[in-house]
Amino acid sequence: GQQLNQSPQSMFIQEGEDVSMNCTSSSIFNTWLWYKQDPGEGPVLLIALYKAGELTSNGRLTAQFGITRKDSFLNISASIPSDVGIYFCAGQPPGGGYGGATNKLIFGTGTLLAVQP
Amino acid sequence: NAGVMQNPRHLVRRRGQEARLRCSPVKGHSHVYWYRQLPEEGLKFMVYLQKENIIDESGMPKERFSAEFPKEGPSILRIQQVVRGDSAAYFCASSPGQRPNEKLFFGSGTQLSVL
């Protein structure tokens, strides 16, 4: 099946630093999503991207949908301690279902972010 | 993710027992998804249901696993004769309409531990 390669696996940074993480796939996706998961909780949607080349911001977060539709990156600027958590990319593959896309998401393996004050 | 309620939060079962996981979607949402997460991995899709219908169960094992979303009441993920490999966090998500992944709200999950 389709897989998403997410990197890096983990990052340990100082407060105030910028962070970048990315996801790549050998297959195309119709939608890219970025989630944050805190320990013992479900993922929370941060940013959704719907078109190739799209660049979207949400506060200190910026994400882009790669032009080939096979990759996406997430940047976090000026990190703060509450940014700690696991960040997941997720893609919606093309196929049947509504709008030409399936209803299931393929998740990356996650990037663990630790921020030292 | 406020509004999707899953219970129990933690469930311990011995091998061979049954596990029943419940999910109440956000009020008014009629689309429910179940995902499984193994330690240090991403979530893996299991099943997608609408009220009284299973739409896509391609990610769910054919044996021992079943899911339902009745007209009234919560969605139930049922695992019969659990084995150690079933130990995982099970997340439910709901959405309001036909572009499900635009607004997919996840619950806090049920951590299943099989002894």
Side-chain angles (χ1 to χ4, degrees), chain A residues 75-107:
Chain A
N75 287 343
I76 305 173
S77 62
S79 57
I80 58 178
S82 62
D83 290 335
V84 163
I86 303 177
Y87 291 79
F88 290 99
C89 62
Q92 186 181 33
Y98 304 118
T102 67
N103 296 309
K104 53 192 174 212
L105 297 177
I106 311 293
F107 277 80

Side-chain angles (χ1 to χ4, degrees), chain B residues 38-92:
Chain B
L38 294 171
E40 300 185 11
E41 292 189 10
L43 282 71
K44 297 265 192 311
F45 169 81
M46 297 181 73
V47 61
Y48 164 43
L49 310 103
Q50 293 180 23
K51 282 284 186 182
E52 300 185 273
N53 289 305
I54 296 175
I55 306 302
D56 182 350
E57 56 183 347
S58 59
M60 196 159 68
K62 299 252 185 292
E63 296 184 356
R64 303 188 299 108
F65 285 73
S66 62
E68 62 177 17
F69 188 19
K71 187 176 179 181
E72 302 289 339
S75 175
I76 305 287
L77 179 67
R78 183 178 174 211
I79 311 173
Q80 294 178 288
Q81 298 178 325
V82 296
V83 301
R84 290 238 172 93
D86 297 332
S87 296
Y90 291 83
F91 289 96
C92 168

Side-chain angles (χ1 to χ4, degrees), chain A residues 31 33 35 37 40-45 50 88 92 98 102-105 107-109, chain B residues 9 33 35 37 42-43 45 48 50 56 58 91 98-102 104 106-108:
Chain A
T31 304
L33 305 157
Y35 287 87
Q37 185 177 26
E41 297 296 331
V44 174
L45 181 64
Y50 301 109
F88 290 99
Q92 186 181 33
Y98 304 118
T102 67
N103 296 309
K104 53 192 174 212
L105 297 177
F107 277 80
T109 48
Chain B
R9 286 297 306 271
Y33 308 78
Y35 284 80
Q37 185 177 34
L43 282 71
F45 169 81
Y48 164 43
Q50 293 180 23
D56 182 350
S58 59
F91 289 96
Q98 293 188 354
R99 283 284 302 269
N101 294 312
E102 290 184 35
L104 197 61
F106 281 87
S108 297

